[in-house]
Amino acid sequence: MSELYANEPMMDMYIFETTQNIEQLETCILDTEKAGYYSQNVVNEIFRIMHTIKGSSAMMLFNNISMLAHTVEDLFYFLREHKPEQIDYSTLSDLVLEVVDFIKGELDKITQGDKVNRDSTILSSKIKDYLEELKQQNAITELIEKPVIEKQSHYYIAQDKTENKINLHMYKAIIFFDDGCEMENIRAYTITHHLRDMADEIYYLPQDIIENDESIHLIREEGFQLYVKINKTYNEMFEFLKQTIFLKDLELIELDNDEEFKQFYKPIKKIILDTPPVMIPKINNQNYQEGKEQTITSSNQSIISVNVAKLDKLMDLVGEMVIAEAMVTQNPDLKGLTIVNFHKAARQLHKITTELQDMVMAIRMVPLSTTFHKMHRIVRDMSKKLGKEVKLELIGEETEVDKNIIEHISDPLMHLVRNAIDHGLEATKDRVTLEKPKIGKVTLEARNAGSDVLILVKDDGKGLNKQKILDRARENDLLIKTENEMTDKEIYNLILLPGFSTKEAVSEYSGRGVGMDVVTNNIEAVGGSVSIDSEEGIGTTITLKIPLTLAIIDGMNISVGKSRYTIPTTTIKESFRPKENDLIKDPDGNEMIMVRGQCFPILRLHELYKVKTEVTDFTQGILIMVEQDEKTLCIFADMLLGQQQVVVKTLPSYIKSTRKIQGLAGCTLLGDGNISLILDIGGLVNLNG
Amino acid sequence: MPKVLVVDDAAFMRLALKTILERNGFQIVGEAENGAVALKMYQEYKPDLVTMDITMPVLDGIQSLKAIRQYDPKAKVIIVSAMGQEGMIKEAIASGAKSFIIKPFKEGHVIETLTKIATA
């Protein structure tokens, strides 16, 4: 199998299909657990999934996975065939989920190219023990299933041919099969079955090839001996047997008399064996339709799966193309030329690149449903361990975000859901005394909001306790403002700070020293933000605001001295040249501007980034009012250069490692070849306090 | 070039067989993910050979084999099955399957089996 093994598409397919199967299995278990018992359909489904995983894994030589899947297959085979009545469904679900986790873990290793070697024997024997227990409880001694074919079938005499004995030849054949071809007894049976249509009498040794799989060893050692009375010449007979698959050695002797047949004659009964009546199943159309819906694996010809690395590359290329387009259409050499046709063509090009870009984005968009559905498992495990009854509600799971972003938010979401159940929801008995619904509710909601996606994790638990937060913050020296100056929102946001979560809060699921700051970091890494709302006694809502995509944004280019900066257009409210008398300075020397009766702080970019510029007087430059997280700021720059789509590139690591520069989200290449720094407005407004 | 219809609910297995068969001069005329689709495809493409998995949803391999054999008594169906399913394989042979391949299969075994059945 080594040649297949090395084959990359095979590996991709293996990972893809097994992952899909495992997820299907998990959903299956979680759904049935609610129902309280495993329906026949579910048992069949799990059996089938495990059978498939066993087969594929064995082909890929992942023997630990294959062996484990085999054990589960056996268990569900038992459930399917014997339908035992006393089943400990809870343990069964736990076991299967443990298997799911094991295989998931191994699949991750495979994906990362690590060695797959975790020992599955302990888990396997746990399942075997469970099966044994099940058998004992249900008092089922294992019956060896009798094959459909009757025992006497080791010889066969055709009824209508017995009179016609004149042309009969008698043969003895000894057949050896290739080493390692497996199931020699069934191969032998295949020969006898195919001979039946032609031969008058067939006898063979060993006689118990059908019902005794041990006969394999005898066939391997002594060969399969066949005695046939048939109306065929030696050559015909030889040719027929030559057709046997995996034939290693064939010895065919024509017998002069039926001496050797006599050993089989003891019961002088004629046994006529008709092929068991062939039942043709009716294809139930309704069934078929249902099956279609059930199997996600059904190969829909109009869908193909593509390696994400290729999509990343495509995205990069489109990004480069957007830059190249700007380089051509905004080329400095074109300045001052009247070139009508060029502009026409350039507009056409721009239209196409924009469409292409939208399409590439659309391809990369993945619905959140998979990520959301993963939470069912967490809710199940936690509610079981903590003894809290929890209902998970999913809203807007069809909302789509960029594939790369999904990977970044999966862990934070898990953390938030765990927090909600562990710290947010009250114990079931407390809820009863509080006259709240007995079952706690955690809601996961996603919806689009402009160029962002909002993801809300809501619980109807006890809500955040402001006093406790303040106490904890004070202990850990996290307060920057005086306590009574802080708004509720600012107090809640304290829990997002690194160092807030202390080890006192450690439980099995949440607060493993990993605090909410990790959530914040992950979300900020994709350019998103976290905010918290809470009401004591009613519940807590944590909102993640995430950009739809990372790669290309609409930006306003500005200049300060010789430097270029880009501000994401979504954050810009307006830009204007201020009048002298609208400017205010507070006693600390902070500059402010009065706009329509409201005061806004001013940030001089040239001062922040220490850029040399001749424009230091507000009346000569321009102010750009930006807003994020409900905070507003006016940025002072020399001039606006124009609006453009820019491709976001991360800052090179040598810059990031030398110094942490605040307020930068990345950089981009402009049409004229200049590099522009993309401002992180969220960072800037918070920097300003 | 013998025409083959590959029937298996696992896309991985279909790809494995397809890869092996195509580089050994077989033509894959169709891939079916269950027995019901297999019957339809058999009627449509008239393949020379069918490789048939046993454990499948909607219509399993044995039922599908019987249905195909009823439609075309000369149909050459080869069962693809795993160790431990001996009983099923016997039933399949009794129901008219020409031979069988055991998963995990080796390229040589698959080709020898299909070639012999195709030329028989």
Side-chain angles (χ1 to χ4, degrees), chain A residues 169-182:
Chain A
H169 297 264
M170 284 171 282
Y171 298 104
K172 175 188 179 183
I174 301 172
I175 296 162
F176 283 93
F177 295 100
D178 280 339
D179 301 334
C181 76
E182 309 276 7

Side-chain angles (χ1 to χ4, degrees), chain A residues 424 457-464 532-535 538-542:
Chain A
V457 182
K458 253 186 275 187
D459 67 65
D460 66 344
K462 50 181 174 268
L464 294 172
I532 304 171
D533 287 299
S534 181
E535 203 168 329
I538 309 274
T540 308
T541 303
I542 295 178

